Amino acid sequence: MADVYWITGLSGAGKTTIGKMWYSYLRTQFQNVVFLDGDILREVFGNDLGYTELDRRKSAMRNAKLCKMLSEQEIHVVCCTISMFDEVREWNRKNIKDYYEIYVKVSMETLKKRDQKNLYTNSCIGKENNLVGIHIKMEEPKTPDFILYNNGEKTPEQQVSLLKDFFKK
């Protein structure tokens, strides 16, 4: 089995930025590494699901099962996704042998300042109504393997260095 690094946090937390850098680093260690991002996976799976709580749950389980399948084929996975449901993360722990959960924790104040996709701005003016952390509750990970606090005190490179140290990679 290969490792699955499940990087989770709210929209704008830095999951994709940190995840891409972690993936690039892992590529120096292994040939068989794949990078998955929640937004891209939605497109790959056909954009057939919306952003309701039920659709997000279905999408998260698709992502989890894909990670399991790739891991079983000896492909290391870096998966960056909001992953707002305890039950999905618990499923991962039970069903993916070498599963590592990394929680990118960011204050709401910082998320609203970053707001690269204008999701938080649009939610304030009523254009966005299914935003996780605002309209839909995020079940904060209870037992992540590692927490990255990403309110801007450290650069993405420094965050990845913390992962290298923690995972001894």
Side-chain angles (χ1 to χ4, degrees), residues 99-132:
Y99 169 78
Y100 302 102
E101 192 173 288
I102 301 162
Y103 177 35
V104 183
K105 187 170 182 161
V106 179
S107 72
M108 186 57 67
E109 179 183 338
T110 300
L111 293 172
K112 287 179 178 180
K113 282 181 189 172
R114 285 183 189 158
D115 204 14
Q116 297 166 339
K117 298 178 187 176
N118 288 321
L119 296 174
Y120 297 97
T121 300
N122 288 338
S123 76
C124 289
I125 60 174
K127 288 185 177 180
E128 174 70 47
N129 62 6
N130 283 324
L131 185 59
V132 178

Side-chain angles (χ1 to χ4, degrees), residues 1 6 10-11 13 19 29 34 48 50 67 72 75 83 99 102 112 118 122 138 145 153 167:
M1 299 285 170
W6 187 270
L10 291 170
S11 183
Q29 308 298 306
V34 66
D48 62 329
C67 288
E72 288 172 348
I75 299 170
S83 185
Y99 169 78
I102 301 162
K112 287 179 178 180
N118 288 321
N122 288 338
M138 162 89 171
D145 295 287
E153 296 88 6
F167 290 109

